[in-house]
Amino acid sequence: MSAPILHAHCPNPSVGTLNNLLGSLLQTLITAQCAISAKENWPEDYGDLALEKGLEAYDFVVVGAGSAGSVVASRLSENRNWKVLVLEAGGDPPQESEMPSIYSYGMFTNFNWHYYTEPQTSACYAARDRSCYWPRGKMVGGTGGINGMLFLRGNRRDYDSWLAKGNVGWGWNDVLPYFRKAVTPVGNSTNPMGHVVLNDFNFYYDDLLNLICNASAALGVPRVQRIGDEGAAIGCTRAPGTVENGK
């Protein structure tokens, strides 16, 4: 089937061949756009069935399909004898959520809860009443669908402070093995660990990075080569992202 003839406003007409080629190109681009976030990538919606039958049929009900809820539900469902239901207020994420480089376009949309913090004393000076905008995702994937996918491990001091308060098993040395287990760093494909793939966003602005880190060093902020196991509290470096093939 030939592509539709496009009547472009050009000073010289086409005999049809170029119009057909252009139409085919546009159709290919539209198809590729739909494939960015294809329907089959996301789970079926059992909301109506749950409302009709009730929740008693399920062994576990996970509220929220964000980064944590989705993983909890996935791990529970590994037991084939358990029925797991995930409840999420939002729907499937938009196409933009699959592309970290344009994540900011999902901020002020219906895929966001549009939270604001309480007035701050040392931050958000440019915001009204110093109340920080605190976007939280309202979709399958939660806030993981509207952030830049930067990978940052927690601060060692936070975990150790939890341990000091009596939370046994939550010190830095306790949680670090699970951080390691969750990810497969770039260049380690022959010995993969977890489902989270780390990449460097194909960052080519080394001169800019060095300029920023050198300026930071002048202010006493150390240069960190990579975000690793040290749990550094502060430093300047290139942060990896949980991105694979640009998605």
Side-chain angles (χ1 to χ4, degrees), residues 5-237:
I5 296 179
L6 304 178
H7 298 284
H9 296 286
C10 301
N12 296 324
S14 165
V15 298
T17 303
L18 190 57
N19 281 334
N20 286 334
L21 290 174
L22 181 58
S24 298
L25 173 60
L26 292 177
Q27 187 61 47
T28 300
L29 291 175
I30 292 173
T31 302
Q33 177 185 346
C34 296
I36 291 175
S37 183
K39 189 67 178 179
E40 56 268 23
N41 292 347
W42 310 106
E44 294 184 44
D45 187 351
Y46 291 92
D48 292 339
L49 182 63
L51 289 174
E52 178 185 349
K53 302 294 185 180
L55 304 181
E56 291 77 11
Y58 298 96
D59 298 292
F60 297 93
V61 177
V62 179
V63 180
S67 300
S70 298
V71 173
V72 168
S74 177
R75 293 300 303 275
L76 288 171
S77 67
E78 291 176 8
N79 186 327
R80 297 298 182 180
N81 296 320
W82 289 343
K83 293 183 177 180
V84 182
L85 176 69
V86 184
L87 298 179
E88 168 58 47
D92 293 340
Q95 296 169 355
E96 289 81 0
S97 72
E98 292 295 286
M99 304 171 66
S101 58
I102 58 173
Y103 76 94
S104 59
Y105 289 94
M107 292 293 182
F108 296 94
T109 67
N110 293 332
F111 295 94
N112 190 343
W113 285 102
H114 304 296
Y115 291 144
Y116 286 83
T117 68
E118 292 296 311
Q120 303 296 298
T121 58
S122 59
C124 295
Y125 281 78
R128 181 178 299 175
D129 299 324
R130 293 188 184 175
S131 180
C132 304
Y133 182 54
W134 202 256
R136 299 287 95 182
K138 185 181 180 182
M139 67 183 90
V140 175
T143 310
I146 56 171
N147 64 27
M149 307 308 292
L150 291 179
F151 178 82
L152 297 171
R153 286 174 177 164
N155 189 323
R156 172 193 291 267
R157 292 181 300 185
D158 287 337
Y159 295 102
D160 286 343
S161 68
W162 297 349
L163 177 63
K165 293 176 181 179
N167 295 286
V168 178
W170 283 96
W172 174 254
N173 292 330
D174 299 307
V175 300
L176 181 58
Y178 296 98
F179 280 138
R180 293 172 178 165
K181 183 179 179 180
V183 302
T184 295
V186 172
N188 193 32
S189 58
T190 58
N191 185 29
M193 290 174 281
H195 295 289
V196 179
V197 177
L198 298 187
N199 214 322
D200 60 1
F201 294 103
N202 294 322
F203 188 87
Y204 298 114
Y205 304 102
D206 288 331
D207 290 341
L208 179 60
L209 177 67
N210 290 330
L211 181 65
I212 294 174
C213 287
N214 290 340
S216 300
L219 298 175
V221 178
R223 177 74 179 262
V224 180
Q225 293 303 315
R226 288 192 68 86
I227 296 176
D229 296 344
E230 68 280 350
I234 189 171
C236 181
T237 188

